[in-house]
Amino acid sequence: MNEIVKTILAWSEVWGILIPLTILILYKVKDRELKPVVLYVWIAVFLNIAGRIFAELWKAKLLHNMPSFLQNNLLFYNLHSVARVLLFTWFITNTKLLQPFRLLRIIIPVYALLVLINFIFFEPVSTFSTRLYAVESILLLVLCISFFLYSIKDESDTIWMDHPAFIVATGVSLYAVS
């Protein structure tokens, strides 16, 4: 019984992403505006399952002949972090609400440059990068707060609290601050 509980807990990173995946499958989201969120969920499922499989293979001592960056599952966590930033930035900026926000034109290139600098000069890609997660949290929080502020100032007929972007931005901002 104890092994079953340990296995369930070990796979918790996969179970967590299955909740939004189940919602996407049951409700068949057709809104083109939500495409980055749907894409993120599918990429997250793939990366979490791959990461968990690599962790199990490492535990079974089957990965010792692999290249060093594939000898643990931390590469998948780092890829997941990058995918989260890129896809949620894409989603939030697609709302047209943040178009006047000039900083958006440089956020992704600066983020990509910081990721490359981090993994080339400071940390190998096979380590858990706290720098990457810190930059991710800051960037996503700035985007979400900007979205909220611009939605308050918006004078169009759009009711932003009823818009899917409001719910996604709320969830992403809660994730970013945790």
Side-chain angles (χ1 to χ4, degrees), residues 22-156:
T22 303
I23 291 169
L24 289 176
I25 291 171
L26 290 177
Y27 292 101
K28 295 183 180 20
V29 176
K30 292 181 177 90
D31 190 356
R32 292 181 52 90
E33 203 170 74
L34 291 171
K35 183 179 180 180
V37 176
V38 172
L39 189 58
Y40 165 74
V41 170
W42 283 105
I43 289 171
V45 166
F46 170 75
L47 289 173
N48 286 358
I49 289 173
R52 189 70 240 153
I53 289 171
F54 268 73
E56 294 296 326
L57 291 173
W58 177 255
K59 193 167 83 175
K61 301 194 185 315
L62 298 173
L63 290 181
H64 295 289
N65 294 331
M66 299 291 284
S68 63
F69 69 93
L70 289 176
Q71 288 186 357
N72 59 38
N73 63 348
L74 297 175
L75 168 70
F76 298 102
Y77 286 122
N78 292 329
L79 289 172
H80 191 161
S81 176
V82 170
R84 190 171 24 248
V85 169
L86 295 177
L87 292 168
F88 283 121
T89 300
W90 175 21
F91 175 73
I92 291 172
T93 57
N94 268 355
T95 62
K96 308 283 188 259
L97 186 64
L98 295 179
Q99 294 304 322
F101 195 40
R102 292 184 184 170
L103 187 61
L104 285 178
R105 291 187 202 121
I106 64 166
I107 283 180
I108 294 300
V110 167
Y111 174 73
L113 184 65
L114 289 173
V115 168
L116 288 173
I117 289 170
N118 181 51
F119 288 127
I120 291 171
F121 296 110
F122 297 111
E123 298 175 306
V125 74
S126 61
T127 62
F128 182 76
S129 178
T130 55
R131 289 183 185 110
L132 183 66
Y133 277 85
V135 170
E136 171 195 342
S137 294
I138 292 167
L139 182 68
L140 290 175
L141 196 55
V142 165
L143 278 171
C144 291
I145 289 172
S146 299
F147 172 82
F148 293 135
L149 291 175
Y150 276 91
S151 69
I152 291 169
K153 291 173 43 177
D154 184 42
E155 294 180 6
S156 69

